Amino acid sequence: MMGRSSSRMIQQGVRLFLGCALLLSAGLAAPAQRYSFRAYTDGLDNLNISALVQDHTGYLWVGTESGLYRYNGKTFHRYGEDQGIHERVIRTVYVSQDGTIWVATDTSLYFEAANGRFTKVALPVSRTMLFPGLNTAMTSKSRDQIVVATQRGAFLISRVAADNWTATPMHLQGTVIWSVLYARDGSLWYGCDSDLCRLKDGVTTHERARMGLPEDQWNNLMLTTSGQLWIRSRQHIAELEPGTDSFEMRDVPGDLPAGPAQELVEDAQGRILASQGSVFGIWTGDHWRIVDQRNGLPHIDISKLFVDRDGSVWIGLVGHGLLLWLGEDRWQGYTNADGLSNDTVWAMARDGASRLWVGTDSGLDYFPSNGNTPVAWHQSGIGTGQVVALAKAPDGAMWIGTQQGSVARINPGTLIAQQWKVPEVYRMLVDTQKRLWIATAGGLYVVDTLARGEAPHLFDGPSLPAAKTRFTNLCLDPQGGVWTTSEQGVFHLDQNKWVHIDTGTLPIRPDVIAVDGQGNLWMADSSRNLMKLQLTGNSITSTQTITRPELLSEQVVALMVDSRGWLWVGQDAGVSVYDGHSWRSFTKDDGLIWNDVNSDSLMEDQDGSIWIGTTGGLSHLLQPHFASAQSQPPLVFEQAAYNGAPLTEANKVKWSGGPMVISMASLAFHNTLDAGIRYRLVGDQGTGWEDTEDMTVRFRHLAPGNYRFEAESVDAAGNAVSPVSTFSFRIEPSWWQNSVVQSSFGLLALLLILIIWRLRVGHLMGQKRRLEQAVQMRTEDLEQEKIELVRAREQMRYCAEHDGLTAVWNHRIIVQRLSDEVNRSMREGKPLSILLVDLDHFKKINDTFGHRAGDETLKHVSALFQGMVRSYDWVGRYGGEEFLLILPGASFENARLRAEEMRLTVEQSDVEAGDRRIPITASFGVISGFPDNYETMIQAADAALYHAKNSGRNCVVAKELKQRESELSSAKSSLN
């Protein structure tokens, strides 16, 4: 018998050694992937995490070396002596089947009573170091009993009455019981000294040798949802499949230090997570995948691992608090620290050799096939400054476009490129006819990708705008049709003929577009909301504006429709996705590496995953199907107090005129930082729905009556993500608020009124004279009210015509004034000049100093402009950080000098933001001359402004219109 057992152990050891060697080589070859983790330390007096559990309500309980804490998604609430726990060092926390919270310190065992206080259980043993930090110290198979493992043996804790438990020794075999766990068949597994024991039907068996386990202190036992028994010691991990009688060794590969704790948990996907020092492994079914510092995990020993009911993974660190794994491994991230040339990512595309190419602010990188480490691409003579556009050709070649104005083709086999000069590139697209379309600042270019060596050329179609027009975006519809946007609107390539899409009077100049599977056209510009247009042929039949709460912000910079037909919307505050039924948003709180998404930086990969370029790195959403809206549990009502006192039985309280305060908690922890609530009060003094981020709501001076408080969780975009929670209460009236008493008071008041009226009858004649005087005074008051009404009407007119922030003319009025001045210029033959001004890097001011500082900057610049114009000039806010100045009669040179003077004044001024000063500059586009219409003049000024911004900003670009002047000269010659 001993010979067969030894032979089996030797064979098993050989298999284990070979398996570990293979897993180690796989682990070492595996590429690093950057994940996102959020630290939770505020509110914890001690950052040594020793225990993590979640109760039946959803609260997270955290044990530390300085006390017990309960986390409600916003704050940590400490439980100490005031709640009945007299020791500070918490060793383990357990939730039994009936929801009771059990807490073990070094020397004592506590349970939470019905009143919320903790009560100590008397153990029939000396209290010296009973719980030195055991992993699986408690287990239960019924609501009225739990088994507790200690250094002095195991104890059966039984309920004898409500809030009354008693402990009796179990006399399990072994001096030290390291762990206890009930299996599904009712048997009790436990770590006994250096063995693994099993108690079933009153009989104890020693299973270690029989099941092929080495001698060790098995201090962590876990039963998975599929029925596997996992066990762990300081050195080993093993798995027992249901129906088998032999453990399979699952040791984490590599020479990794054991660390202070041997954690073993199951995640929401059924995978096993095991900590090993400062790293943890994920058992995927046939091998371990290691998450370590290369993935963004700090180099700090892990003390606890825990998976909450939403599937979020919590990590307790030695001396450094809690970490929450944002998005788990559904998200990857790459930054400059991971090998990218720059954190600002503009474009992504995969070539024919399955390399992923990435365009950044500092050049071009690529990920080799099946690799996760980027490689910088360079070639002598090929400029790759800012790579803003990428496109894969049908032959597998990669085409790149740069902001500096070049297009290059990279051979997929040799990685050698050929380059051509074009204007500044915005977007590139390959159509179904294998043509590459290039949207540039100087027109729409095209090249046949199969004609090797052919240079891109300017496409000059009969329906397209004139050459040198700026084109900003390109996209394909489900039928393979090409769509593009320019300064003159939207165009569709219909059977090799470009057709202009008449957008009518839509208040939008689209910079980005996308066409979904239903043929809807989605469009947005840099300063307005997203719009959805339904098309019939090439005609718009209906429009819809998409704003908050569906979107995170109004700054839409990227649109993409994936193969599922979902619309992805990149914004300066994150990414939103519409699956045809509901919206879902992603921010840094969900695993996105940075919230500021870059223009046109969305890409769907071959496997359906989504790549997102931001100003803080490259994000990869591996499982987009999780993008569909996910509901959260209802809000939990923590406390309701009236006039400072908790509500009494049946939620009834006597009226006192004090405030009603209702505190809630959202126990879905994966997005609590950006989450808020929407609430209302239904009743005699009901309110409409209101939004707030505060989880405590106050109502003042509620009248007696019946009320129902309703609340729901909302996400960062303001979408409801939980069922409505309700809380009903009644405010009982005081004695004097009784209807009989109030009726008596009413009759008494009526009697007093009658007496007073009789007394006043004798004074009617004297009052007649006073009445005449009162009529005269009232007449004067009416005249004054008339004056006030006129003044109020003027104020309303002023508000309708002026921008509410800067007090200059608003967009509608300034455009109307421009139209009027153009008409007057054409009538009188006098020149007209306009200045289109854009504040440089205004978004950076908002991001760095806050939106309030941005508002102060806009008001400051508006005041500067108003102080520098003539009395008959016009200053208006054209949109966002853009201003339009109209200078009637100003010549070209005068307008250019005035613009330069304003530019210097803006540059030399700054805005205070607390103890910091905000430097500001502006770019000017100046147009002067004799315009035919105001639209042409606006377009010319816009082009000059773009030239100024592309020339480095903080400069003036002026252009003179000669057309009208030449017409006047011709007219005078004909008269002579």
Side-chain angles (χ1 to χ4, degrees):
M1 177 68 68
M2 288 296 295
R4 289 195 296 269
S5 176
S6 301
S7 175
R8 185 176 63 180
M9 291 183 64
I10 293 173
Q11 293 173 2
Q12 198 169 32
V14 172
R15 290 198 301 270
L16 174 63
F17 173 80
L18 293 176
C20 289
L22 290 173
L23 291 174
L24 175 59
S25 62
L28 294 175
Q33 302 164 353
R34 181 170 295 273
Y35 303 131
S36 296
F37 301 90
R38 179 194 295 138
Y40 289 78
T41 58
D42 292 343
L44 292 174
D45 296 333
N46 186 281
L47 302 182
N48 274 317
I49 307 300
S50 57
L52 278 174
V53 298
Q54 190 172 29
D55 64 22
H56 291 182
T57 303
Y59 288 100
L60 191 69
W61 293 81
V62 183
T64 74
E65 291 189 359
S66 71
L68 177 68
Y69 296 83
R70 190 181 76 171
Y71 182 60
N72 65 0
K74 291 288 185 180
T75 58
F76 288 93
H77 175 67
R78 188 178 186 276
Y79 283 71
E81 291 190 7
D82 292 343
Q83 290 78 30
I85 300 178
H86 301 286
E87 291 89 358
R88 294 175 59 87
V89 179
I90 306 300
R91 289 304 183 186
T92 187
V93 182
Y94 175 72
V95 182
S96 58
Q97 291 188 14
D98 66 341
T100 301
I101 307 297
W102 294 84
V103 179
T105 66
D106 279 336
T107 58
S108 303
L109 178 66
Y110 296 86
F111 70 92
E112 186 183 25
N115 60 5
R117 290 183 54 82
F118 281 86
T119 302
K120 186 182 298 185
V121 177
L123 298 176
V125 69
S126 63
R127 302 191 308 165
T128 304
M129 292 298 290
L130 289 176
F131 304 98
L134 305 178
N135 289 66
T136 316
M138 303 183 200
T139 186
S140 64
K141 64 177 181 179
S142 68
R143 298 174 59 88
D144 297 324
Q145 288 185 339
I146 69 168
V147 175
V148 179
T150 76
Q151 295 282 37
R152 303 297 179 88
F155 298 91
L156 180 65
I157 313 297
S158 303
R159 190 201 308 267
V160 295
D163 289 341
N164 187 5
W165 297 77
T166 184
T168 57
M170 291 190 67
H171 305 295
L172 298 180
Q173 296 187 14
T175 304
V176 178
I177 305 301
W178 297 105
S179 56
V180 287
L181 178 69
Y182 274 114
R184 292 180 177 178
D185 61 358
S187 60
L188 178 67
W189 292 81
Y190 60 97
C192 48
D193 297 331
S194 298
D195 204 342
L196 179 66
C197 296
R198 183 186 186 193
L199 174 63
K200 184 177 182 181
D201 299 330
V203 178
T204 297
T205 56
H206 291 259
E207 304 288 357
R208 181 195 61 77
R210 187 181 71 85
M211 292 190 169
L213 294 173
E215 289 189 5
D216 214 333
Q217 296 171 356
W218 301 100
N219 54 18
N220 200 331
L221 311 178
M222 181 187 69
L223 194 65
T224 69
T225 55
S226 301
Q228 292 93 349
L229 175 64
W230 284 74
I231 65 174
R232 178 160 194 190
S233 67
R234 189 173 181 83
Q235 302 294 334
H236 300 290
I237 301 176
E239 176 192 13
L240 179 65
E241 289 281 353
T244 63
D245 60 356
S246 178
F247 277 94
E248 294 290 336
M249 301 306 297
R250 304 296 189 206
D251 292 350
V252 177
D255 187 16
L256 299 173
Q262 294 78 55
E263 289 300 296
L264 200 62
V265 297
E266 181 184 15
D267 70 4
Q269 303 177 54
R271 303 175 304 181
I272 305 302
L273 276 61
S275 65
Q276 193 83 1
S278 62
V279 308
F280 65 88
I282 303 175
W283 178 255
T284 60
D286 56 3
H287 70 279
W288 288 100
R289 181 160 57 84
I290 303 300
V291 178
D292 57 16
Q293 287 69 50
R294 296 172 301 171
N295 306 105
L297 198 64
H299 201 318
I300 302 167
D301 280 345
I302 295 173
S303 59
K304 294 302 293 183
L305 286 174
F306 179 70
V307 179
D308 65 23
R309 66 183 182 184
D310 297 322
S312 299
V313 178
W314 294 84
I315 304 168
L317 301 178
V318 176
H320 288 76
L322 282 174
L323 290 182
L324 177 61
W325 190 3
L326 300 178
E328 291 78 49
D329 49 356
R330 294 192 295 270
W331 285 88
Q332 296 175 357
Y334 304 90
T335 65
N336 182 255
D338 305 299
L340 287 180
S341 297
N342 194 288
D343 283 347
T344 300
V345 177
W346 293 104
M348 301 77 65
R350 197 172 289 279
D351 66 10
S354 293
R355 287 179 288 254
L356 178 71
W357 293 82
V358 181
T360 76
D361 226 26
S362 300
L364 182 64
D365 303 322
Y366 69 88
F367 290 82
S369 176
N370 298 324
N372 278 52
T373 302
V375 178
W377 182 89
H378 300 286
Q379 180 177 326
S380 178
I382 303 296
T384 56
Q386 284 182 301
V387 177
V388 296
L390 295 169
K392 172 194 171 185
D395 60 357
M398 182 57 57
W399 288 78
I400 67 172
T402 70
Q403 191 180 53
Q404 289 72 26
S406 65
V407 172
R409 177 188 180 275
I410 301 178
N411 186 292
T414 63
L415 296 186
I416 296 176
Q418 182 181 7
Q419 191 174 50
W420 297 271
K421 183 66 179 175
V422 296
E424 175 187 354
V425 176
Y426 290 103
R427 192 86 161 91
M428 299 195 305
L429 177 73
V430 176
D431 67 10
T432 55
Q433 298 184 33
K434 302 177 176 58
R435 294 172 296 187
L436 175 70
W437 295 92
I438 310 168
T440 77
L444 186 63
Y445 283 70
V446 66
V447 62
D448 185 355
T449 61
L450 299 184
R452 302 292 174 83
E454 178 179 322
H457 62 275
L458 185 65
F459 188 89
D460 187 13
S463 298
L464 287 178
K468 309 303 181 184
T469 298
R470 182 169 59 95
F471 285 78
T472 58
N473 202 249
L474 290 158
C475 74
L476 284 176
D477 60 28
Q479 290 72 41
V482 182
W483 295 74
T484 186
T485 58
S486 76
E487 296 167 327
Q488 272 70 45
V490 182
F491 296 85
H492 176 214
L493 184 60
D494 189 0
Q495 297 181 351
N496 288 323
K497 181 180 71 173
W498 285 101
V499 178
H500 179 247
I501 306 299
D502 184 12
T503 57
T505 58
L506 292 178
I508 190 170
R509 291 183 300 171
D511 290 328
V512 290
I513 57 173
V515 181
D516 63 22
Q518 289 72 43
N520 299 312
L521 176 64
W522 299 80
M523 62 171 58
D525 64 11
S526 60
S527 61
R528 297 186 186 273
N529 297 322
L530 175 67
M531 295 197 72
K532 174 185 177 182
L533 285 66
Q534 289 186 343
L535 300 175
T536 301
N538 292 316
S539 300
I540 299 174
T541 57
S542 67
T543 63
Q544 179 185 0
T545 300
I546 310 298
T547 60
R548 292 175 66 92
E550 283 83 3
L551 300 180
L552 291 162
S553 75
E554 296 179 359
Q555 192 77 12
V556 176
V557 297
L559 295 174
M560 182 192 72
V561 176
D562 65 14
S563 58
R564 291 169 286 265
W566 295 359
L567 175 72
W568 295 81
V569 184
Q571 301 142 82
D572 63 349
V575 177
S576 300
V577 58
Y578 179 60
D579 62 5
H581 304 285
S582 59
W583 287 87
R584 169 86 160 89
S585 293
F586 297 100
T587 64
K588 288 179 63 178
D589 195 36
D590 301 289
L592 184 66
I593 198 166
W594 196 252
N595 283 346
D596 190 3
V597 178
N598 279 329
S599 300
D600 300 316
S601 56
L602 299 172
M603 171 203 151
E604 183 183 14
D605 213 336
Q606 298 166 349
D607 59 358
S609 60
I610 303 297
W611 293 88
I612 304 166
T614 75
T615 57
L618 176 64
S619 273
H620 189 196
L621 178 55
L622 299 174
Q623 302 176 42
H625 56 277
F626 281 96
S628 57
Q630 299 176 347
S631 61
Q632 293 184 0
L635 291 169
V636 173
F637 293 103
E638 290 191 320
Q639 186 180 28
Y642 183 70
N643 200 23
L647 261 64
T648 57
E649 185 180 358
N651 294 334
K652 292 182 180 180
V653 66
K654 282 289 185 180
W655 182 91
S656 65
M660 170 65 73
V661 180
I662 301 175
S663 298
M664 295 156 286
S666 176
L667 302 180
F669 304 122
H670 61 278
N671 66 349
T672 53
L673 292 187
D674 293 329
I677 63 170
R678 180 178 295 122
Y679 69 91
R680 70 175 178 178
L681 186 64
V682 181
D684 296 340
Q685 284 183 255
T687 65
W689 287 102
E690 298 184 32
D691 291 348
T692 180
E693 294 183 0
D694 193 351
M695 303 302 287
T696 299
V697 177
R698 294 170 175 82
F699 298 100
R700 300 186 182 275
H701 310 302
L702 291 178
N706 295 311
Y707 295 93
R708 185 178 71 255
F709 178 79
E710 299 178 347
E712 62 188 5
S713 296
V714 295
D715 60 16
N719 298 296
V721 292
S722 77
V724 175
S725 299
T726 61
F727 175 78
S728 298
F729 59 93
R730 174 173 174 78
I731 299 178
E732 299 281 357
S734 297
W735 67 269
W736 55 268
Q737 293 172 314
N738 184 275
S739 59
V740 176
V741 175
Q742 290 182 340
S743 298
S744 301
F745 276 120
L747 291 174
L748 180 59
L750 180 59
L751 180 60
L752 291 175
I753 292 173
L754 289 174
I755 294 173
I756 294 172
W757 178 77
R758 290 292 300 268
L759 293 175
R760 289 179 58 86
V761 168
H763 301 283
L764 287 179
M765 297 303 295
Q767 286 186 344
K768 180 179 180 181
R769 291 188 298 270
R770 291 193 294 271
L771 181 59
E772 291 175 350
Q773 294 175 356
V775 169
Q776 182 178 358
M777 294 176 63
R778 181 56 182 161
T779 302
E780 294 173 356
D781 290 340
L782 289 175
E783 290 295 330
Q784 183 63 32
E785 290 178 4
K786 180 179 179 181
I787 294 173
E788 292 296 330
L789 287 174
V790 172
R791 184 179 297 123
R793 186 168 60 250
E794 288 300 316
Q795 181 67 27
M796 292 176 62
R797 183 182 64 81
Y798 177 89
C799 292
E801 295 180 346
H802 290 76
D803 179 63
L805 176 64
T806 62
V808 299
W809 299 107
N810 60 28
H811 178 86
R812 177 178 65 84
I813 296 302
I814 196 66
V815 172
Q816 183 60 48
R817 295 290 184 266
L818 178 59
S819 177
D820 295 342
E821 291 295 342
V822 168
N823 293 336
R824 186 168 71 171
S825 172
M826 296 175 66
R827 290 195 310 269
E828 299 176 0
K830 294 181 179 180
L832 176 64
S833 298
I834 66 171
L835 283 63
L836 191 58
V837 187
D838 184 89
L839 298 186
D840 298 329
H841 305 295
F842 183 74
K843 182 177 179 295
K844 184 177 180 182
I845 293 175
N846 281 333
D847 292 344
T848 304
F849 300 95
H851 287 275
R852 179 171 294 180
D855 291 345
E856 291 300 321
T857 301
L858 291 173
K859 291 192 286 187
H860 174 74
V861 173
S862 300
L864 288 179
F865 289 162
Q866 287 179 293
M868 298 181 67
V869 297
R870 301 166 298 182
S871 61
Y872 52 90
D873 292 337
W874 304 90
V875 179
R877 186 176 178 187
Y878 191 68
E881 64 269 24
E882 289 185 350
F883 295 85
L884 178 62
L885 285 74
I886 306 172
L887 310 180
S891 64
F892 170 78
E893 187 61 19
N894 188 12
R896 186 185 64 80
L897 292 176
R898 292 279 295 282
E900 185 62 24
E901 180 184 359
M902 292 179 181
R903 185 195 68 79
L904 287 173
T905 301
V906 172
E907 181 183 20
Q908 293 169 0
S909 66
D910 52 22
V911 176
E912 292 184 0
D915 57 348
R916 304 171 64 183
R917 305 189 70 84
I918 306 173
I920 51 176
T921 61
S923 301
F924 289 70
V926 180
I927 296 300
S928 181
F930 301 87
D932 293 326
N933 55 69
Y934 76 92
E935 292 96 340
T936 302
M937 205 167 196
I938 284 285
Q939 293 167 2
D942 193 35
L945 175 59
Y946 272 100
H947 189 188
K949 295 184 77 66
N950 291 336
S951 299
R953 297 183 171 87
N954 193 21
C955 63
V956 176
V957 173
K959 179 179 178 182
E960 186 175 12
L961 298 176
K962 298 293 188 178
Q963 180 178 1
R964 183 60 181 169
E965 188 179 54
S966 61
E967 291 177 1
L968 292 173
S969 299
S970 300
K972 291 179 180 179
S973 299
S974 63
L975 290 174
N976 294 335

